[in-house]
Amino acid sequence: MSNLYNNPLISRYASKEMAENFSNDKKFSTWRKLWIALAEAQRELGLNIAQEQIDEMKKFCENINYHVAKERERETRHDVMSHVYAFGVQCPKAKPIIHLGATSAYVGDNTDVIAIKKALILIKDKLVNLINELSKFAFEYREVPTLGFTHFQPAQLTTVGKRATLWIMELIMDYEDLIYTIDSIMFRGVKGTTGTQASYLNLFNNDHEKVEALDKLVAKKMGFERVFPVTGQTYSRKLDYKVLSVLSGIAQSLHKMTNDIRLLQHLKEVEEPFEKKQIGSSAMAYKRNPMRSERVASLARYVMSSVGNTAMTSSTQWFERTLDDSANRRISIPQSFLATDAILKIAINISQGMVVNDKVIRKHIMEELPFMTTENIIMEAVKRGGDRQELHEKIREYSMEAAREVKEKGNRNNLLDMIVNDQEFGLSKDDIDKLMDPKLYIGRSKEQVEEFIKTNVAPIVEENQGALGIKVTLEV
């Protein structure tokens, strides 16, 4: 136990790989990789930098002397220059050329871009796994009729699998936004203090071609083909807004999905996994609370609200930069990724173990189906010589009476009994029973699920085969 606050996103919810992506080791080793890439590129373009200096930097790239940097920052109040100093202590030969011509945003912003892109790829892998797991569920239950709900009132039938495709469709929209964002992310690059590259132009004796080459060469060394063509001191904070908007979209989809599951669990139709020794309530031992879905909804709200931070930060940057973005971004960006990672983990766990209670679903269908079959009953009675208008009025009256029996007296729905006993309909109980097969009322649900998975899901799954196979066991 500790007497200090422990961030539950790291200790309780998010995956190890996402937490590591935003760790100090990852951040500061990336700073050093950027300084090495800058020195290498400068040397290749003709600056007086020795290979020996670069080799010395590489030797200490991962071995960060945090205590030296921390002590230096107490004096300077500047994190980047403190780490430049600490790196120089370990690399005395390279000390004169570390951070040559660069500004703090060179390491800060480029590291952020690298971390964001890696985090988006981690999110993509989990999103694909969730789409795949839900698609298995949708296919398995593509023919199982269930009540559709509009306004949370019983409506025409759908199937359990068809409803799941509604969740998947929104996740595919999120996937498409995510892929576009990953593909469009640009490296901040080597731009100097206000984005004019003046310091580098001076280093290269006004050789514009070498300055342009430096920008692209460093980006390539760090794994990027595209570089922001223009920046101020920082890259446009509009990028952060775009990235968190994608995360917000995923959170919206999962909030909607798990809300549906919570409502279905209330109806006892579909339930999230419930482990053998799991406790639903400290007081009511019989309860099976949808705690996984509730956790998703809770964290999803956090993600959706965080995008507002990036909108405000983007809109209030002054000219080439201001520093009121820094402290906010240290929190809003990593924690939004950690929370999104967590809700995807939980959603995968739910989708791998959802329970469908077929008999409860059928019971609910049969309570409402008499009302839904009335149009078919009228058509069948008309075929046997009945008057459509008169039969319609009778069904209206009988429906009102049956509703009163259900709502006011708590009795079963007796609408069909009244129709069978009315000779004007000319229908026997066997005739009515033939019209009471729920599968007659699911439309093209089965075919829609099959076509949707084949056309919309399969290409995504096939393209991401290497990312499949995530199994999630919730430890807490």
Side-chain angles (χ1 to χ4, degrees), residues 9-10 14-23 26 115-116 118-124 126 247 333-342 344-345:
L9 285 171
I10 295 172
S15 66
K16 180 183 177 183
E17 61 265 27
M18 186 61 79
E20 287 176 347
N21 186 57
F22 291 102
S23 67
K26 187 73 172 180
I116 285 170
K118 172 63 176 176
L120 286 171
I121 292 169
L122 291 174
I123 292 295
K124 174 183 73 74
K126 286 190 174 68
L247 302 187
I333 295 174
Q335 297 207 153
S336 293
F337 272 107
L338 289 164
T340 306
D341 178 80
L344 282 166
K345 265 182 61 182

Side-chain angles (χ1 to χ4, degrees), residues 367-381:
E367 288 171 352
E368 302 292 339
L369 195 59
F371 296 122
M372 298 176 192
T373 60
T374 53
E375 183 64 24
N376 286 29
I377 288 172
I378 291 174
M379 293 301 101
E380 191 62 32

Side-chain angles (χ1 to χ4, degrees), residues 119-133:
L120 286 171
I121 292 169
L122 291 174
I123 292 295
K124 174 183 73 74
D125 290 348
K126 286 190 174 68
L127 183 58
V128 168
N129 274 269
L130 178 57
I131 290 170
N132 185 47
E133 294 294 341

Side-chain angles (χ1 to χ4, degrees), residues 218-280:
V218 172
K220 190 170 185 179
K221 287 178 180 291
M222 298 306 297
F224 287 80
E225 294 298 325
R226 299 177 64 205
V227 184
F228 270 97
V230 293
T231 70
Q233 188 175 99
T234 61
Y235 67 72
S236 169
R237 296 315 187 210
K238 179 75 75 173
L239 173 61
D240 299 340
Y241 171 74
K242 287 176 64 178
V243 168
L244 262 69
S245 294
V246 173
L247 302 187
S248 173
I250 294 170
Q252 293 163 39
S253 300
L254 293 186
H255 195 292
K256 195 269 189 228
M257 179 185 105
T258 52
N259 256 14
D260 285 354
I261 292 171
R262 290 163 68 188
L263 293 168
L264 290 169
Q265 185 147 333
H266 166 75
L267 297 171
K268 298 181 174 61
E269 293 190 356
V270 176
E271 298 178 318
E272 65 176 40
F274 195 89
E275 293 165 23
K276 187 176 181 180
K277 294 188 178 182
Q278 183 175 327
I279 296 173

Side-chain angles (χ1 to χ4, degrees), residues 277-429:
K277 294 188 178 182
Q278 183 175 327
I279 296 173
S281 168
S282 61
M284 295 166 280
Y286 60 86
K287 292 189 75 180
R288 290 184 58 153
N289 299 334
M291 68 86 162
R292 291 168 170 82
S293 295
E294 289 170 331
R295 185 177 294 178
V296 170
S298 183
L299 292 173
R301 285 200 296 273
Y302 175 80
V303 177
M304 289 185 278
S305 66
S306 294
V307 74
N309 272 316
T310 56
M312 288 185 281
T313 296
S314 175
S315 64
T316 56
Q317 287 297 284
W318 297 355
F319 304 112
E320 279 63 48
R321 96 149 301 176
T322 182
L323 199 59
D324 65 345
D325 62 334
S326 179
N328 186 295
R329 294 176 70 251
R330 289 173 191 262
I331 299 168
S332 61
I333 295 174
Q335 297 207 153
S336 293
F337 272 107
L338 289 164
T340 306
D341 178 80
I343 61 177
L344 282 166
K345 265 182 61 182
I346 300 165
I348 291 169
N349 176 263
I350 292 171
S351 66
Q352 289 173 341
M354 266 196 295
V355 177
V356 176
N357 298 320
D358 307 65
K359 290 183 172 59
V360 176
I361 290 174
R362 183 172 179 84
K363 175 177 177 289
H364 291 161
I365 289 174
M366 300 314 290
E367 288 171 352
E368 302 292 339
L369 195 59
F371 296 122
M372 298 176 192
T373 60
T374 53
E375 183 64 24
N376 286 29
I377 288 172
I378 291 174
M379 293 301 101
E380 191 62 32
V382 169
K383 288 179 188 176
R384 302 181 184 207
D387 184 306
R388 196 263 178 203
Q389 305 309 319
E390 291 180 6
L391 295 175
H392 183 278
E393 177 58 23
K394 284 202 166 198
I395 285 214
R396 186 189 70 80
E397 293 174 359
Y398 289 156
S399 296
M400 297 298 143
E401 188 175 336
R404 279 193 296 273
E405 286 289 317
V406 172
K407 294 177 182 179
E408 296 176 13
K409 301 179 183 179
N411 295 329
R412 69 177 186 84
N413 189 329
N414 64 342
L415 173 61
L416 299 182
D417 294 337
M418 289 187 279
I419 292 173
V420 169
N421 292 330
D422 189 328
Q423 293 184 357
E424 288 192 32
F425 284 89
L427 298 173
S428 67
K429 187 177 183 304

